[in-house]
């Protein structure tokens, strides 16, 4: 029985307005530390989730069992939850979305560029080879490798009483390597893609080693500096902007960073950001958690804010004819609202990181950002620390390593102060699959900006 068959069978047990999501995850993960494998996991899980709608109130329930008794019970439980809330009056959730003529249905078993059959075989020997390559590269430089390798296939099927019917399978693979020398100094490398064959443990480790220096790090005093942010750092900033700026529910509730700014300049003219869920080179998806078709959506064009993303609920809260843009993260909508999961920042004119560095008299180069948290969501103000490769830039060259610094700055301010980007873009993802596997990332270049606000240093 396919996942789509299971979803349709479950829908038969539902009363009234209902949606069924069936997700099957098959995945492998291999963690390592000090150049030794430390943990290996294999997951093969099927989850059936039922959403019921009663007078604008939603109820959800899920199960991992697939027998008829379990499916009937989960459908009844979801209905009871929704009905229990309905006594308070009409809720804010509209009816379930309706299928469109050009929706994501078609052949439910179709494979496309978001799915790699070889990766779907989930061969653990692939992980072994990649770890061995990383360990050898680290050992050649008297360092140890820490990190994770993971790959998976996720099949999603959705049916609803409103006529939605969609299914797809996607694959993803990710490897992160931190090379650390005995004093604790470290460098970082990572790679993510649809295919596990695109990962090269030795090459990723070599990238990490390029960001590692054995020199004693200097300390940078607080202040504003010119900065070169590598791809990983840019990806982190854009991920936060997705939640704080492009979230349609936050925007409707006037807590978003783009409130009253749609149609206005919010970034430098060279900044162009789209959500591109079908783009080759990213982690493509054809529909969201409500089976609404996903298409490319312009968010910032030539520095001007053009829009936000919606699921069905946030569109209803917004009103004024707003519609779902295909960004539901959960059946009925994530409580915190929708978010783009396939952001793409267009590249610029710089041919290399060296081109970005060359005009800077004194500044810093940042490999990646860590432990980042919002300070003022309304202004996309964040604080966090640099990690695994922070360097001083002097007279157009990367010179000395720096002690990691704390920054407190706005993503939008950084984008407004950006004066150049690399042509080359890279898919960046943290791949922290603590719950149900949902691979997503940001395709972005590295950038150079002025006025990066350093507010302290780490110990």
């Amino acid at each position: 029985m396919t996942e789509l068959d299971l979803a349709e069978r479950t829908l038969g047990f539902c009363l009234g307005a209902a949606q069924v999501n069936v997700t099957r995850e098959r995945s492998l993960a291999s963690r390592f530390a000090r150049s030794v494998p430390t943990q290996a996991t294999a997951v093969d899980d099927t989850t059936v989730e039922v959403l019921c709608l009663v007078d604008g109130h939603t109820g959800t329930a899920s199960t991992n069992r697939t027998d008829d008794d379990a499916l009937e019970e989960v459908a009844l439980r979801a209905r009871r939850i929704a009905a229990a809330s309905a006594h308070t009056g009409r809720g804010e959730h509209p009816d379930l979305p309706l299928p469109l003529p050009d929706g994501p249905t078609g052949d439910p078993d179709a494979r496309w560029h978001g799915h790699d059959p070889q990766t779907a075989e989930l061969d653990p020997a692939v992980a072994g080879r990649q770890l061995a390559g990383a360990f050898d590269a680290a050992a050649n430089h008297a360092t140890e490798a820490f990190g994770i390798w993971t790959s998976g296939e996720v099949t999603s099927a959705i049916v609803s009483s409103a006529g939605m019917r969609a299914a797809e399978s996607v694959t993803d693979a990710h490897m992160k390597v931190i090379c650390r020398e005995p004093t604790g100094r470290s460098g970082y490398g990572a790679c993510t893609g649809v295919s596990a064959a695109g990962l090269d443990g030795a090459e990723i480790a070599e990238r990490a080693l390029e960001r590692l220096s054995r020199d004693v790090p200097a300390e940078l005093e607080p202040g504003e500096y010119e900065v070169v942010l590598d791809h990983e750092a840019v990806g982190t900033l854009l991920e936060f902007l997705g939640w704080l700026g492009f979230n349609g529910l936050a925007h409707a509730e006037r807590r978003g960073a783009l409130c009253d700014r749609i149609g206005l300049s919010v970034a430098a003219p060279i900044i162009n950001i789209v959500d591109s869920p079908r783009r080759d080179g990213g982690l493509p998806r054809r529909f969201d958690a409500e089976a609404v078709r996903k298409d490319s959506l312009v968010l910032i064009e030539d520095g001007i804010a053009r829009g936000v993303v919606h699921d069905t609920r946030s569109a209803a809260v917004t009103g004024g004819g707003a519609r779902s843009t295909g960004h539901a993260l959960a059946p009925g909508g994530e409580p915190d609202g929708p978010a783009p999961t396939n952001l793409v920042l267009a590249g610029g004119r710089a041919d290399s990181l060296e081109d970005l560095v060359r005009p800077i008299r004194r500044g810093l180069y940042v490999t990646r950002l860590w432990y980042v948290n919002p300070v003022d969501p309304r202004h996309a103000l964040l604080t966090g620390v640099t990690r695994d490769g922070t360097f001083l830039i002097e007279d157009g060259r990367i010179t000395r390593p720096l002690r990691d610094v704390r920054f407190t700055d706005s993503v939008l301010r950084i984008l407004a102060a950006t004066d150049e980007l690399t042509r080359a873009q890279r898919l960046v993802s943290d791949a922290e699959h603590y719950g149900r596997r949902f691979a997503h990332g940001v395709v972005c270049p590295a950038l150079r900006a002025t006025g990066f606000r350093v507010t302290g240093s780490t110990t």
Side-chain angles (χ1 to χ4, degrees), residues 195-397:
S195 170
L199 305 182
D200 185 329
E203 188 276 332
I204 296 169
E206 290 291 348
R207 193 188 308 167
L209 289 160
E210 290 174 1
R211 290 156 174 77
L212 187 154
S213 174
R214 288 178 166 82
D215 294 337
V216 176
E219 189 158 339
L220 192 68
E221 62 275 12
E224 296 185 1
Y225 296 88
E226 289 187 88
V227 67
V228 170
L229 300 176
D230 211 335
H231 299 76
E232 285 82 5
V234 176
T236 297
L237 295 180
L238 294 181
E239 181 103 6
F240 273 89
L241 185 61
W243 278 108
L244 302 178
F246 301 133
N247 178 336
L249 184 63
H251 191 76
E253 295 176 346
R254 301 197 57 76
R255 53 186 174 84
L258 295 182
C259 287
D260 301 321
R261 303 187 73 180
I262 301 299
L264 302 179
S265 176
V266 297
I270 61 172
I271 298 298
N272 289 276
I273 300 175
V274 300
D275 191 59
S276 187
R278 295 176 176 239
R279 183 185 190 274
D280 196 4
L283 294 168
R285 292 180 184 274
R286 288 185 288 197
F287 55 87
D288 71 358
E290 297 178 314
V292 175
R293 177 186 171 94
K294 298 177 74 69
D295 288 305
S296 184
L297 180 67
V298 176
L299 298 169
I300 295 179
E301 181 180 32
D302 299 332
I304 297 172
R306 294 302 187 192
V308 296
V309 304
H310 284 296
D311 55 23
T312 301
R313 173 172 165 251
S314 72
V317 172
T318 299
R323 296 176 56 185
S324 172
T325 56
H327 288 87
L329 301 176
E334 182 74 25
D336 290 334
T341 55
N342 297 89
L343 286 175
V344 178
L345 172 60
R349 297 171 300 178
D351 290 325
S352 65
L353 282 170
E354 288 74 19
D355 287 345
L356 293 183
V357 169
R358 195 168 293 117
I360 298 178
R361 183 170 177 272
R362 188 169 188 268
L364 70 158
Y365 162 83
V366 175
T367 297
R368 71 175 182 130
L369 304 172
W370 182 68
Y371 209 68
V372 179
N373 287 286
V375 175
D376 180 358
R378 189 68 168 75
H379 296 92
L381 182 66
L382 307 174
T383 190
V385 297
T386 65
R387 191 176 188 186
D388 298 323
T390 306
F391 291 86
L392 186 66
I393 298 173
E394 296 175 296
D395 298 324
R397 295 186 304 110

Side-chain angles (χ1 to χ4, degrees), residues 397-418:
R397 295 186 304 110
I398 295 175
T399 56
R400 295 175 288 167
L402 289 172
R403 188 182 301 278
D404 289 328
V405 300
R406 173 165 292 280
F407 77 96
T408 304
D409 211 339
S410 163
V411 183
L412 290 175
R413 194 216 63 78
I414 293 170
L415 293 179
T418 296

